Amino acid sequence: MDELEIQLKRLGKKKILRQKVILTGNIKTLEDLIIQLVTHNVNSFNKEIEKNKVLSFLSPSEIHNQSITGKIGFGEIENETKANINSSIENALQAFEDGIYAVFIDDDEVQTLKELLAIKESSSITFIRMTFLTGTYW
């Protein structure tokens, strides 16, 4: 499979995060997709931790680009503990089962982890993080 674009959304928020990923391996079900995405992200996260920055600085263009989003930072990771792939996969699968996020492929919601997927390069893959209302109105 070639490059896919994953969209990440939150209910009630207008901002959509788009992430391009290259997944290797056979993706037949939602479970396969989640496992591959989590593995990809954990490996990327762990590689960032391994980078040793002696001196961090931002160029004027980086400052300008970050100021558009309203937050300027060095992007440093304070926690240097590497993520565990197996526990991350378990958490992601359990979060789907618990309804923490929903997954849509080409505007069709995927209901179960074992549901067969027909993903093409042109497919729109969207993860929507559900937010829970807090407080009471009684």
Side-chain angles (χ1 to χ4, degrees):
M1 180 166 293
D2 289 328
E3 187 175 71
L4 294 174
E5 182 176 273
I6 307 295
Q7 298 179 67
L8 306 170
K9 297 181 183 180
R10 273 204 210 162
L11 286 181
K13 303 285 183 182
K14 292 182 181 181
K15 185 177 178 182
I16 299 171
L17 176 66
R18 289 179 169 79
Q19 179 182 18
K20 292 195 182 249
V21 294
I22 297 174
L23 302 177
T24 58
N26 198 3
I27 298 173
K28 294 181 181 177
T29 64
L30 177 60
E31 184 175 16
D32 297 336
L33 177 63
I34 292 171
I35 289 170
Q36 288 221 20
L37 287 172
V38 169
T39 301
H40 175 269
N41 284 321
V42 166
N43 287 334
S44 296
F45 176 81
N46 288 342
K47 284 179 187 173
E48 279 297 312
I49 289 175
E50 291 172 0
K51 289 183 180 177
N52 186 10
K53 295 182 180 179
V54 175
L55 178 63
S56 297
F57 69 92
L58 296 173
S59 69
S61 64
E62 289 172 322
I63 292 171
H64 174 73
N65 291 339
Q66 289 186 29
S67 69
I68 293 170
T69 64
K71 181 179 178 185
I72 300 173
F74 290 100
E76 294 178 353
I77 300 171
E78 296 294 326
N79 182 359
E80 294 186 2
T81 305
K82 289 186 177 183
N84 180 289
I85 290 178
N86 293 329
S87 65
S88 297
I89 289 170
E90 287 176 27
N91 287 339
L93 295 174
Q94 187 64 52
F96 177 80
E97 290 288 329
D98 291 345
I100 304 296
Y101 63 93
V103 180
F104 291 83
I105 298 190
D106 295 326
D107 298 325
D108 295 322
E109 184 175 6
V110 182
Q111 300 287 327
T112 66
L113 290 172
K114 299 297 182 189
E115 189 170 329
L116 295 177
L117 305 179
I119 299 176
K120 305 175 287 276
E121 281 187 59
S122 62
S123 290
S124 171
I125 303 171
T126 306
F127 287 76
I128 300 178
R129 181 175 152 199
M130 311 308 252
T131 54
F132 299 98
L133 299 176
T134 58
T136 61
Y137 293 103
W138 317 101

